[in-house]
Amino acid sequence: TSITSAKIQVNGVNLHYQQTGEGSHAVLLLPGMLGSGQTDFGPQLKSMNKQLFTIVAWDPRGYGQSIPPSRDFPPDFFERDAKDAVDLMQALKFKKFSLLGWSDGGITALIAAAKYPMLIHKLVVWGANASITQEDVRIYNGIRDVSKWSEKVKKPLEEMYGLKYFAKTCEAWVDGISRFAEKSDGNICQQLLPDIKCPTFIIHGEKDPLVPRAHAEYIHKHIKGSRLLLMAEGKHNLHLRFAEDFNRQVEDFLQ
């Protein structure tokens, strides 16, 4: 089945999304920092089961083709994304749906599942964290300058945004996310985790250079009945690098 691209107005912004499949189980894919459906979820849009699932990948406001507006990072940017994501799916007439969230998209998905429990069927997150430590801030500052990124990771983003917007937005993200570390517990959404009632699957790459394993373990510990899978060779982008294995694990869980 083909992948359609469209825009729909949600909360005053024209949000871009891609959609494929005709299954009865709707699934929303939530990308990471600077991410879009196109850059972050190629193997999922292409290869996930189109008979079982209807798959939607969105570009959060200020990312991908959901520009304008330009991306900014107010203190509640994760809550704003969570509301946009849920309202997008409702605008597309999905009554209940599952969330697959990577990295920042995983944080957004955790918040959405906690705040809108009646709408969320199942939840899968990887490369996500519910708080920010000083060590995390040190890691983020290591990626602040996009000219130091590997060519492979940098190229698709530079093509999508142009160097100026890409570089500026990455710096703004590092500043925005680092602000959470100024709170005593570095909290982003720790208090919401016990409110997540849907079946939850947490995947973590043991070689993730951006998100230490303790974050995945914390989320697992505080979401009742959740499952944790550690992928020995997985890095931050384990769903791209090991797409076949990832897709199979996730499809088994969602069924």
Side-chain angles (χ1 to χ4, degrees):
T1 30
S2 61
I3 299 169
T4 58
S5 285
K7 286 188 174 185
I8 189 166
Q9 192 168 29
V10 177
N11 300 327
V13 179
N14 285 315
L15 292 176
H16 177 263
Y17 66 95
Q18 291 171 286
Q19 186 173 326
T20 186
E22 57 265 343
S24 58
H25 187 156
V27 178
L28 177 66
L29 310 178
L30 298 95
M33 176 262 279
L34 276 163
S36 64
Q38 182 191 327
T39 54
D40 288 14
F41 294 116
Q44 284 68 47
L45 285 163
K46 184 169 171 256
S47 304
M48 275 182 74
N49 189 314
K50 310 281 168 87
Q51 279 69 53
L52 291 174
F53 306 110
T54 295
I55 299 141
V56 178
W58 81 308
D59 300 359
R61 61 170 73 201
Y63 284 166
Q65 294 178 56
S66 296
I67 303 173
S70 291
R71 182 70 183 189
D72 62 348
F73 300 94
D76 66 343
F77 74 90
F78 284 117
E79 281 80 8
R80 182 181 68 182
D81 282 350
K83 184 172 175 15
D84 281 348
V86 165
D87 291 350
L88 166 75
M89 291 300 276
Q90 293 202 289
L92 295 176
K93 305 282 188 276
F94 295 112
K95 291 190 171 51
K96 204 166 180 181
F97 46 92
S98 292
L99 301 174
L100 264 67
W102 176 39
S103 200
D104 268 20
I107 300 172
T108 302
L110 291 168
I111 293 169
K115 287 193 160 182
Y116 310 98
M118 304 306 290
L119 302 174
I120 310 305
H121 184 41
K122 291 186 177 184
L123 173 65
V124 183
V125 296
W126 66 105
N129 39 306
S131 65
I132 301 288
T133 66
Q134 288 305 324
E135 167 65 5
D136 295 327
V137 173
R138 192 189 62 72
I139 293 170
Y140 299 148
N141 276 305
I143 64 163
R144 176 187 286 274
D145 179 356
V146 299
S147 71
K148 295 182 179 148
W149 288 25
S150 82
E151 203 49 46
K152 194 172 160 217
V153 179
K154 190 168 64 177
K155 196 165 178 265
L157 293 169
E158 210 173 301
E159 281 170 4
M160 173 166 279
Y161 294 114
L163 184 56
K164 194 176 157 199
Y165 187 92
F166 170 35
K168 187 184 76 179
T169 307
C170 182
E171 287 183 16
W173 176 83
V174 172
D175 292 340
I177 198 137
S178 298
R179 277 201 300 269
F180 291 103
E182 292 161 15
K183 303 181 191 178
S184 57
D185 52 358
N187 177 45
I188 302 176
C189 62
Q190 289 173 314
Q191 76 292 356
L192 292 175
L193 300 181
D195 296 342
I196 297 174
K197 304 291 185 238
C198 65
T200 301
F201 187 22
I202 301 137
I203 305 173
H204 186 72
E206 295 264 46
K207 294 183 175 174
D208 190 332
L210 287 175
V211 181
R213 174 175 164 172
H215 284 301
E217 288 173 339
Y218 182 94
I219 294 167
H220 173 47
K221 187 178 161 195
H222 290 88
I223 299 177
K224 205 177 166 194
S226 63
R227 263 175 64 190
L228 174 62
L229 171 69
L230 298 171
M231 288 176 72
E233 294 302 312
K235 292 187 180 174
H236 196 58
N237 65 345
L238 55 87
H239 66 298
L240 300 176
R241 177 90 194 281
F242 301 104
E244 210 174 307
D245 186 22
F246 174 88
N247 288 357
R248 192 184 68 247
Q249 297 274 2
V250 167
E251 287 178 358
D252 287 349
F253 171 74
L254 290 176
Q255 285 181 57

